Each structure stands twice: as structure tokens, then as C-alpha cells.
Amino acid sequence: MTPELIGILSVGAALFVGLGGLILSVTARFNARIDRLEDRFVALEARMDARFESLETRIDTLSERVARVEGVIEGLFAGMNGRRAAGDKEAAA
């Protein structure tokens, strides 16, 4: 081998090793950023789950209240219809 070829091969090997190190470095940084983003998404998902649970609790409470109001309204209508029916019977007699 000639000294020129040895020089070319050594420069090529150095560039190859340097490029490999650069690729590993970029890959490590990329993976670290992906991990941080994944952690943020997990935290966001936890906050969203907590809010949805809170909303479900509020909806359940409101559903119970609406059911009670519906019962009161039905009772009032039944009472009003009963009074009318009794009043109609007295008017007919």
C-alpha cells in the first residue's frame, strides 16, 4: 500500500467513525425528545381523564336533580288533573 492510499483510507475511516458518532448523538437526542413528549402526553391524558370524571359526576348529579324535578312536575299535573276531574263530576251532578 502506498502512503497516499493509507492516508485516504485513514481519513475515510475517521469520517466514517465521526459520522457514526454524529448519527448516534442525533438519535439519542431525538429519543430523549420523544420520551419528554410522551411524558407530557401521559400527563395531559391524566388531566383530561380527571376532568372527564368530574364532568361525569356533575352530569350524574344534574340527572338526579332533573329526575326529582320531573317527579314533582308529574305530581303537580296529576294533582291538577285529579282536581279537575273531581270538579267536572261536581259540575255534572
Side-chain angles (χ1 to χ4, degrees), residues 3-70:
E4 293 86 11
L5 183 59
I6 292 173
I8 292 171
L9 290 176
S10 63
V11 168
L15 287 175
F16 182 74
V17 169
L19 182 61
L22 179 65
I23 289 172
L24 289 176
S25 173
V26 169
T27 303
R29 286 184 183 179
F30 185 69
N31 286 337
R33 291 186 85 176
I34 287 175
D35 290 341
R36 285 195 306 267
L37 283 174
E38 188 175 72
D39 292 341
R40 288 175 64 185
F41 281 126
V42 167
L44 178 64
E45 183 180 18
R47 287 196 322 255
M48 287 175 53
D49 286 343
R51 286 185 180 180
F52 284 136
E53 287 176 13
S54 174
L55 284 174
E56 287 175 353
T57 303
R58 287 181 181 178
I59 288 171
D60 290 342
T61 302
L62 287 175
S63 295
E64 291 172 7
R65 288 181 178 179
V66 167
R68 282 186 281 183
V69 169
E70 286 176 343

